């Protein structure tokens, strides 16, 4: 049973001064930094190749070099560069299976010259409120001077009980003889 996730498409970067082209395969998302000197690229894994991995890359448009920021993840999102384009942050989930009911995102950080992104916060980080996790939906933002990174957290949702089938779950509608309408009419 292969994955049915949507594969990324080709991204072509063309230098209009010399018509030089650079190709990236399986691209699902890409973002430029504010100055247009760095290009963040997220790729998907190839569905028919079990050895392929999703990857986050940073393409330096002036030097034409590519750095690998992260390999092997299920989902990454909310990419943000600082003002200078030298720092990058995002949230990613890489430990659960694709069909897992509970997914825990971690806050990742990368700065120019580092080997790869590193975890800076997750649900077990000191200072994180017990029962909370890094929010996958909250907006990330660096302070103007780049010395602080702001992120959101959210309560850990309780996992849905998959042991009960819908038709086995009792549903109760209470009708009172003083009601103006019968219960089926009230529900309609």
């Amino acid at each position: 049973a292969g994955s049915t996730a949507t594969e990324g498409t080709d991204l072509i970067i063309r230098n209009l001064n010399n018509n030089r082209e650079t190709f990236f395969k399986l691209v699902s998302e890409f973002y430029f930094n504010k100055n247009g000197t760095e290009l963040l690229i997220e790729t998907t894994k190839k569905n028919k190749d079990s050895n392929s991995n999703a990857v986050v890359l940073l393409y330096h448009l002036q030097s034409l070099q590519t750095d690998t920021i992260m390999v092997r993840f299920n989902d990454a999102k909310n990419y943000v560069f600082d003002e200078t384009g030298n720092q990058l942050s995002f949230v990613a989930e890489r430990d659960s299976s694709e069909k897992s009911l509970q997914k825990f995102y971690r806050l990742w950080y990368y700065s120019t010259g580092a080997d790869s992104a590193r975890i800076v916060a997750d649900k077990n980080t000191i200072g994180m409120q017990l029962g909370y996790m890094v929010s996958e939906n909250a907006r990330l933002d660096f302070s103007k001077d780049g010395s602080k990174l702001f992120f959101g957290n959210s309560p850990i949702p309780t996992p849905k009980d998959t042991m009960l089938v819908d038709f086995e779950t009792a549903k109760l509608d209470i009708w009172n003889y003083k009601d103006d309408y019968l219960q089926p009419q009230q529900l309609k």
Side-chain angles (χ1 to χ4, degrees):
S3 172
T4 59
T6 304
E7 285 184 357
T9 58
D10 291 347
L11 174 67
I12 303 169
I13 301 166
R14 179 178 295 143
N15 183 329
L16 297 178
N17 293 327
N18 59 18
N19 286 332
R20 182 182 202 167
E21 292 182 337
T22 306
F23 293 85
F24 291 93
K25 300 265 186 209
L26 301 170
V27 174
S28 58
E29 294 184 56
F30 62 93
Y31 302 95
F32 288 95
N33 69 345
K34 186 176 181 178
N35 298 327
T37 57
E38 309 288 339
L39 176 62
L40 176 113
I41 300 169
E42 178 186 317
T43 68
T44 62
K45 58 184 178 181
K46 190 166 185 62
N47 286 339
K48 294 179 181 175
D49 183 1
S50 61
N51 293 324
S52 72
N53 292 305
V55 179
V56 176
L57 304 168
L58 189 60
Y59 182 61
H60 308 283
L61 293 159
Q62 293 172 338
S63 67
L64 305 179
Q65 299 297 313
T66 305
D67 289 331
T68 302
I69 306 299
M70 176 184 270
V71 180
R72 289 186 305 275
F73 58 89
N74 296 321
D75 187 25
K77 57 175 119 178
N78 299 349
Y79 299 101
V80 63
F81 284 100
D82 71 342
E83 285 287 318
T84 63
N86 295 325
Q87 298 180 95
L88 166 70
S89 188
F90 57 96
V91 295
E93 187 279 316
R94 69 188 317 192
D95 297 328
S96 66
S97 69
E98 288 180 23
K99 296 180 181 179
S100 177
L101 296 175
Q102 271 195 318
K103 296 185 180 199
F104 297 104
Y105 284 77
R106 293 176 171 162
L107 180 65
W108 294 81
Y109 170 81
Y110 174 82
S111 63
T112 302
D115 288 339
S116 62
R118 63 183 172 88
I119 299 170
V120 291
D122 66 7
K123 66 183 177 72
N124 299 318
T125 299
I126 294 172
M128 182 73 76
Q129 186 176 349
L130 189 63
Y132 277 67
M133 64 181 191
V134 173
S135 174
E136 72 204 73
N137 300 313
R139 182 174 163 230
L140 303 177
D141 205 7
F142 282 96
S143 62
K144 191 81 168 165
D145 66 358
S147 64
K148 296 178 180 75
L149 173 61
F150 302 97
F151 68 98
N153 62 7
S154 62
I156 296 173
T158 54
K160 182 180 175 185
D161 185 1
T162 58
M163 299 302 288
L164 292 175
V165 184
D166 281 344
F167 65 83
E168 289 182 354
T169 307
K171 293 181 177 146
L172 178 65
D173 296 320
I174 299 176
W175 177 78
N176 187 317
Y177 72 96
K178 293 180 183 176
D179 286 349
D180 292 338
Y181 298 100
L182 295 173
Q183 189 64 28
Q185 289 175 313
Q186 289 180 22
L187 292 174
K188 190 172 182 182

